[in-house]
Amino acid sequence: MRSESSEPEGAERPEGAEPASRRPPRPVLLTVALAAVVVVASLVAAVLLRQGDDDEVADGLSMPTPTAADGCAGGPCRVVASASVNGMTVELLAAERGSAGRLRAGGPASSSVAEVAIGTMGVPLNQDSLRCEESATPVCLVRGPHDGGMVGELHVWRGDSWRSDQRPYFSDAGSVTLDDVDGDDVPEVVVVSHDCSDVDSVAACREAPVLAEVFDLAGGTVGCTGTYGSPGSMRGWPEVDVESYELMACS
């Protein structure tokens, strides 16, 4: 894990980045905002439907915990990705075509299985859909392509089950990942988006500079980076690596 650092005087900025003194505006293009609204609405609908079928969902935070025998989308589940975090095996299960995902902890015999809400939206899940980070408690991000970008869903291990804040993280640039930005051994969610505040068309937005916005595990904004000329100029792309000294208030 990295420790928090400050940018040394005279240090070169990452290639393609604009001066850190510029406060990066949030993406405001209407089409991008509408895409995020569609993701939120779909997740809320999926959650409400599940709550109607399962009265054991507590405080709207805990995903249902079906057993593997319940299957995926009416058929058998298959393991599409796996990881080991804090000594625990974590597996992402999906139907044959990669939909209706579930997150399982502890191996095939475990009944600790939580539903992945973005799977109910038809977001395809594959071997690149699972990212987990070791910390005081296991943290996993499930992600997949959506509406020309990427949507991610965060799951945190609490007690003996997965808990999700049931909010989507949408990147119109195609990168949602985990990174311990502030070096406290707890990962943050990093979302890369186009800065479309100075453009007036969808086509221009796709070519606009990008920035990374960082969120804590509760969904609060930690800060934003400056803008970069292209996604590929960001350090570590597409698994973007952000340092705490790069962050400033998001406009």
Side-chain angles (χ1 to χ4, degrees):
M1 296 293 181
R2 294 187 307 277
S3 60
E4 185 174 350
S5 61
S6 60
E7 185 174 17
E9 183 177 354
E12 293 184 1
R13 291 185 296 272
E15 182 181 353
E18 293 184 5
S21 59
R22 177 179 175 182
R23 292 164 63 87
R26 292 178 184 274
V28 296
L29 193 67
L30 180 60
T31 53
V32 176
L34 287 175
V37 169
V38 170
V39 176
V40 174
S42 299
L43 279 177
V44 170
V47 170
L48 290 176
L49 287 173
R50 288 198 306 273
Q51 288 178 331
D53 294 333
D54 189 343
D55 293 333
E56 295 181 358
V57 178
D59 300 325
L61 293 177
S62 176
M63 291 289 188
T65 54
T67 65
D70 291 330
C72 295
C77 293
R78 63 189 180 95
V79 177
V80 296
S82 63
S84 178
V85 56
N86 291 28
M88 179 173 67
T89 299
V90 178
E91 297 169 309
L92 179 61
L93 310 176
E96 184 63 29
R97 295 187 178 181
S99 61
R102 291 181 176 170
L103 199 60
R104 180 169 66 192
S110 173
S111 61
S112 231
V113 183
E115 189 170 351
V116 175
I118 61 174
T120 66
M121 299 164 49
V123 174
L125 304 175
N126 54 43
Q127 68 275 8
D128 192 48
S129 293
L130 181 64
R131 290 290 181 274
C132 296
E133 290 284 339
E134 293 198 8
S135 62
T137 186
V139 176
C140 290
L141 179 75
V142 181
R143 63 188 189 177
H146 180 75
D147 197 26
M150 177 178 287
V151 62
E153 178 181 334
L154 186 68
H155 289 259
V156 181
W157 186 257
R158 302 293 189 192
D160 59 356
S161 63
W162 293 111
R163 300 296 175 99
S164 170
D165 59 8
Q166 295 177 345
R167 64 163 291 176
Y169 293 92
F170 178 71
S171 164
D172 65 347
S175 178
V176 182
T177 191
L178 295 174
D179 186 26
D180 180 13
V181 175
D182 56 11
D184 64 351
D185 293 335
V186 177
E188 286 78 34
V189 181
V190 180
V191 180
V192 179
S193 299
H194 288 281
D195 171 14
C196 300
S197 56
D198 295 328
V199 301
D200 56 7
S201 70
V202 174
C205 181
R206 291 171 180 164
E207 301 299 324
V210 294
L211 58 87
E213 185 169 2
V214 178
F215 299 88
D216 60 29
L217 297 185
T221 299
V222 177
C224 289
T225 67
T227 54
Y228 291 75
S230 66
S233 64
M234 304 185 80
R235 185 173 54 250
W237 177 264
E239 305 299 322
V240 177
D241 179 17
V242 177
E243 297 285 354
S244 60
Y245 69 80
E246 299 177 275
L247 298 181
M248 61 193 79
C250 300
S251 297

